[in-house]
Amino acid sequence: MDLTELLADAMRRQRLSAEALAYATGIRVPRIKAFVEDGAVGPIRPTAEELTELAQALSLPLPNVLAASQDRRTVAAAGHPV
């Protein structure tokens, strides 16, 4: 599961909009929308602090959020199976 799916699913389960999540975390709405649409591979990438805030606000285990945010292309380029 990538970051896009993880965030969208958690937001849907908790019935949170991007605006409500922004209010809860302090992360700007356009950034949250970019994370939900593009995950961690888009032009706007989440910082470690943002990922921690998102995990806390959505009651998700931080290791799962960090794993979902890894750029699959970087892992594949390093010679590791995707």
Side-chain angles (χ1 to χ4, degrees), residues 10-67:
M11 288 172 66
R12 187 174 31 259
R13 277 187 281 121
Q14 295 186 23
R15 296 186 179 140
L16 289 175
S17 65
E19 291 79 10
L21 189 55
Y23 182 77
T25 62
I27 301 169
R28 296 183 64 212
V29 174
R31 289 187 66 80
I32 290 176
K33 287 183 177 180
F35 303 155
V36 172
E37 291 174 10
D38 300 329
V41 296
I44 299 173
R45 297 183 183 206
T47 65
E49 182 180 334
E50 289 171 328
L51 292 171
T52 301
E53 291 175 15
L54 290 168
Q56 289 174 346
L58 295 170
S59 300
L60 296 170
L62 182 58
N64 293 6
V65 175
L66 295 175

